[in-house]
Amino acid sequence: MYLIRQFEEKCGEMYTRGQVRGFLHLYIGEEAIAVGAISQLQPHDYIVTHYRDHGHALARGLDTNRTMAELFGRVGGLSKGKGGSMHLFDADKGFIGGHAIVGGQFPLAAGLALSHQYRKTDGVCVVFFGDGSTNQGTYHEVMNLASVWKLPILFFLENNLYGMGSRFDRVRAGGEDFYPGAATYGIDHAAVVDGMDVIAVQEATKVALESIRAGNGPAFIEAKTFRFQGHSMADPVKYRDSSETEAWEAKDPITTFPEDLIAQGLVTEAELAEIRASVDAEVDESVKFAEDSPFPPDEELFTDIYA
Amino acid sequence: MTEITFRQALQRGLREALDADPDVFLMGEDIGKYDGAYAVTQGLLEKYGPDRIRDTPISEAAFVGAGVGAAVAGLRPVVELMSMSFSLVASDQIVNMAAKIRYMSGGQVKVPMVLRAPTGGGVQLAATHSQSFENWYASTPGLKVVTPSTPYDALGLLRSSIEDDNPVIFAENALLYGTRGEVPDEEFRVPIGLADVKREGSDITMVGWGHGIITLLDAADKLAETGVKAEVIDLRTLRPLDMDTVTESVEKTGRALVLDENWRTAGLGAEIAAEIGYRSSDYLDGPVARVGGTDTPSPYTRPLEQLGIPQTQWVIDEIEKTYGL
Ligand SMILES: Cc1ncc(C[n+]2csc(CCOP(=O)(O)OP(=O)(O)O)c2C)c(N)n1
Ligand SMILES: [Mg+2]
């Protein structure tokens, strides 16, 4: 979690310096979800997510250097700089993308999950998505399809209460809880979890995955969370009160989780300091790696269009 | 006359239309409380209230289609998409509903709706967020497609589009929002379907639209340094196409270049070039010169992205290659 936080603080800094450009969406505040959920996956499981994807990528173990280089648009990046922040991919790790068309990732997840079912493996596909994306038709279509076909999908809602400037209560008819809606599609395994609590997320994911791997079809988890910063770097955040943000910041997993660990005597301050120092070094190194990597050669514009 | 930005021109057009006709209302994602992704609708919610400035869920198919329904019932919705790329989510409602319902009903209903959307690339948003589907919509009977390049045209065409009884795709190249230009202080309209000579010249006719006009005017400046007098024609509307203005110019200059910032293959530039050849081959000194975007998705990384977008020098080189000018 600390790696994701430091990495993203650095991304923000590099954006202001003009090294990272385009749209940059930070996951700051939501780290416990990616870390808790992805820690429970097997190497052959698939992950698809939205454009707010750095957390999922790093939690899956995508290379920090290549991730930063991708954000810099350099040839050493995960996709040689062609995708950028919103479109991180590492197919070898089953990480089939950040996707920037809201709701675009749901059907893809269905197909990936179908492949596991077709090949009779116990693999699953986890699809991460935001509260705002549940207003797209694809969400409802895929929930139904996945349930009818009993596809091994874990629908993982990162409910940070806002889709850009729109709080859920201004754009959603179903109230503040989303998980009960899964039952409408015959998805019985639907849970809600504190998205600021990495252990709780881990537990909920473990149980859901067991159900899916046992052949019960899709499962649904809603994690309640909050993005501490704007929607993207271009967002002046005029639509919400800072008191709302402050209340959530008090639950920041980056501070609360280590405090818990220390209180339980599971780790010492000195050990934490050591971890932090090594993570800080890893992040600094990623910037150096990205800076040293050249821009892709001109020919790359024309490659990777067809297989 | 007052100098304002393209963005301000659009906002003024929306305000004038809202003031003029109570049936006009706006809807789209985050156009109200958030002030609009590109701030075109900034402040309108306070002035006109939530009935007329409606924030929508992220449900393009639903609210674009709802725009069609409201228009059929006689209202004049102005629907905003955050990006022309997102129109694909609603493309069935646009192509199969907005464009067809009048025809299928034998003329019983009409669709006085405007669909505004920022288009284009050049700001490193990568492949899915850098597209300009106005080219596609321009090949759809039943739609009108408008692509202003100046604040004057943006304001005048927006008023005409909102008053038009047909569905109009109003494409705003996002690179233009901050550009400035003079507009009259009194209300005015620019008619849909009329091209505009943005610069007069006698040696070659250069045809484009939207952001491409900036490139063409720049190329015309450079060409002038070598004594070549280029005429720049801004189509302003892609459907219906004003080929008469183009033809008149081509038959005067005897040379033609078409700039299409979109994918070169099977785009509107190809249609215009073919039509010029068909109409005016007797007057031409050579084939119609063509400049288009590369047939590639748009990459995130800046050097490659720029490599795919037509630059001023491409225009100059193409003219040199085709006509030896
Ligand atoms: C089809 C489509 N419509 C609109 C957008 C613009 N957009 C990008 S993210 C976003 C908000 C999504 O909110 P949510 O799903 O809650 O995810 P969050 O950003 O909160 O993580 C919007 C409206 C888009 N990218 N694609
Ligand atoms: Mg959200």
Side-chain angles (χ1 to χ4, degrees):
Chain A
M1 288 194 291
Y2 183 70
L3 170 64
I4 298 172
R5 176 66 56 92
Q6 293 307 98
F7 182 88
E8 290 212 304
E9 296 281 10
K10 192 60 87 177
C11 294
E13 190 188 321
M14 292 298 130
Y15 186 90
T16 19
R17 286 209 214 149
Q19 291 280 25
V20 176
R21 308 179 56 147
F23 285 152
L24 176 66
H25 307 86
L26 299 180
Y27 193 61
I28 290 178
E30 306 185 29
E31 295 91 342
I33 300 175
V35 171
I38 293 173
S39 68
Q40 298 306 297
L41 295 180
Q42 297 295 324
H44 62 291
D45 292 332
Y46 285 118
I47 300 173
V48 293
T49 180
H50 47 178
Y51 45 85
R52 199 179 300 287
D53 58 355
H54 310 158
H56 310 107
L58 295 180
R60 183 58 164 180
L62 270 62
D63 184 66
T64 316
N65 289 347
R66 294 182 63 208
T67 306
M68 187 61 89
E70 186 61 30
L71 270 67
F72 273 55
R74 304 303 172 95
V75 72
L78 292 163
S79 304
K80 298 175 273 186
K82 293 183 185 183
S85 158
M86 302 195 287
H87 311 103
L88 300 177
F89 283 82
D90 190 342
D92 289 342
K93 293 201 158 68
F95 198 87
I96 313 298
H99 297 273
I101 298 296
V102 171
Q105 75 271 38
F106 293 113
L108 180 68
L112 291 165
L114 175 64
S115 77
H116 278 307
Q117 188 186 57
Y118 195 84
R119 295 186 173 124
K120 304 196 173 21
T121 77
D122 72 342
V124 303
C125 178
V126 182
V127 53
F128 293 98
F129 56 98
D131 44 289
S133 73
T134 67
N135 289 321
Q136 287 289 24
T138 49
Y139 168 73
H140 301 275
E141 293 175 28
V142 170
M143 291 261 278
N144 180 64
L145 183 76
S147 185
V148 169
W149 286 354
K150 285 201 176 307
L151 295 178
I153 299 193
L154 175 55
F155 291 94
F156 212 116
L157 167 59
E158 302 181 318
N159 180 4
N160 61 13
L161 310 182
Y162 288 84
M164 256 181 96
S166 295
R167 205 179 141 84
F168 72 89
D169 44 11
R170 294 200 301 121
V171 289
R172 168 179 163 80
E176 64 178 338
D177 290 327
F178 290 62
Y179 69 97
T184 323
Y185 301 98
I187 299 175
D188 297 327
H189 191 109
V192 59
V193 64
D194 177 1
M196 311 309 272
D197 180 345
V198 65
I199 301 298
V201 173
Q202 227 170 27
E203 265 314 302
T205 308
K206 187 164 170 265
V207 177
L209 288 174
E210 277 164 12
S211 166
I212 299 170
R213 292 199 212 277
N216 296 326
F220 189 103
I221 298 176
E222 169 178 359
K224 306 278 193 189
T225 185
F226 202 76
R227 65 167 155 73
F228 294 171
Q229 304 204 1
H231 167 71
S232 72
M233 300 303 280
D235 175 6
V237 204
K238 289 185 291 186
Y239 46 82
R240 70 184 189 198
D241 219 65
S242 59
S243 62
E244 191 183 18
T245 312
E246 282 154 22
W248 282 91
E249 278 171 348
K251 299 192 261 187
D252 186 350
I254 305 298
T255 47
T256 56
F257 184 59
E259 279 164 13
D260 284 354
L261 291 179
I262 288 174
Q264 292 174 46
L266 293 169
V267 69
T268 66
E269 271 296 359
E271 283 166 333
L272 282 177
E274 216 172 289
I275 294 173
R276 290 197 179 108
S278 90
V279 166
D280 292 348
E282 181 179 347
V283 171
D284 287 343
E285 163 61 24
S286 75
V287 171
K288 216 182 153 297
F289 177 88
E291 281 169 350
D292 290 347
S293 175
F295 284 107
D298 289 357
E299 313 84 83
E300 281 294 343
L301 177 61
F302 302 94
T303 62
D304 306 319
I305 300 173
Y306 297 101
Chain B
M1 298 288 265
T2 315
E3 200 191 75
I4 59 174
T5 63
F6 194 87
R7 175 185 286 107
Q8 287 167 329
L10 291 167
Q11 158 133 172
R12 193 180 123 186
L14 292 172
R15 283 179 187 270
E16 285 177 1
L18 285 159
D19 289 337
D21 183 350
D23 285 340
V24 172
F25 72 98
L26 274 48
M27 58 178 164
E29 288 157 16
D30 281 316
I31 64 167
K33 201 158 181 201
Y34 190 90
D35 277 339
Y38 289 91
V40 172
T41 53
Q42 191 161 20
L44 295 186
L45 176 64
E46 286 91 279
K47 171 117 196 274
Y48 298 98
D51 279 348
R52 300 186 76 193
I53 312 296
R54 306 178 82 94
D55 277 327
T56 65
I58 310 172
S59 311
E60 285 85 2
F63 68 78
V64 171
V68 178
V72 165
L75 299 178
R76 289 195 177 267
V78 181
V79 180
E80 175 178 309
L81 291 168
M82 265 189 202
S83 161
M84 189 65 86
S85 288
F86 309 157
S87 75
L88 294 188
V89 179
S91 56
D92 180 63
Q93 294 297 321
I94 298 168
V95 175
N96 277 332
M97 197 61 88
K100 305 284 197 306
I101 192 166
R102 178 171 179 78
Y103 191 80
M104 290 192 301
S105 71
Q108 295 180 62
V109 299
K110 59 187 186 189
V111 185
M113 168 173 119
V114 177
L115 188 60
R116 295 182 36 243
T119 69
V123 287
Q124 290 193 257
L125 300 185
T128 64
H129 279 47
S130 308
Q131 305 170 95
S132 309
F133 293 116
E134 53 269 29
N135 244 338
W136 286 11
Y137 295 122
S139 71
T140 305
L143 299 177
K144 295 187 178 182
V145 180
V146 169
T147 56
S149 74
T150 65
Y152 179 93
D153 290 339
L155 174 45
L157 280 166
L158 184 57
R159 293 302 306 277
S160 298
S161 298
I162 296 173
E163 285 163 2
D164 199 282
D165 279 342
N166 299 286
V168 179
I169 308 292
F170 197 92
E172 304 163 5
N173 189 296
L175 295 174
L176 296 173
Y177 283 129
T179 57
R180 307 182 72 85
E182 300 241 301
V183 296
D185 295 321
E186 61 279 3
E187 291 189 29
F188 68 99
R189 312 281 187 279
V190 170
I192 293 176
L194 194 65
D196 185 39
V197 179
K198 284 281 185 297
R199 178 185 174 123
E200 286 191 31
S202 49
D203 296 331
I204 182 165
T205 301
M206 305 199 295
V207 183
W209 62 89
H211 177 263
I213 295 303
I214 293 192
T215 308
L216 289 182
L217 289 172
D218 189 37
D221 281 343
K222 301 253 155 56
L223 288 165
E225 289 167 15
T226 59
V228 176
K229 297 190 224 39
E231 181 144 302
V232 176
I233 296 192
D234 182 354
L235 290 171
R236 296 198 293 197
T237 303
L238 303 187
R239 186 180 193 98
L241 260 181
D242 177 8
M243 281 309 295
D244 290 345
T245 300
V246 175
T247 304
E248 198 179 310
S249 172
V250 170
E251 294 182 0
K252 175 180 79 178
T253 64
R255 300 182 188 93
L257 172 133
V258 180
L259 169 63
D260 182 346
E261 289 190 313
N262 266 290
W263 299 305
R264 189 176 185 276
T265 300
L268 197 71
E271 164 70 20
I272 296 161
E275 194 62 23
I276 292 172
Y278 181 74
R279 289 182 178 220
S280 311
S281 60
D282 289 352
Y283 296 82
L284 284 168
D285 284 355
V288 179
R290 289 183 62 189
V291 174
T294 54
D295 281 316
T296 64
S298 195
Y300 160 73
T301 189
R302 186 160 176 84
L304 295 193
E305 181 186 43
Q306 288 302 314
L307 207 62
I309 301 172
Q311 312 285 335
T312 301
Q313 195 56 44
W314 298 17
V315 173
I316 292 168
D317 291 348
E318 175 73 9
I319 289 173
E320 147 98 83
K321 194 180 94 190
T322 311
Y323 295 112
L325 288 181

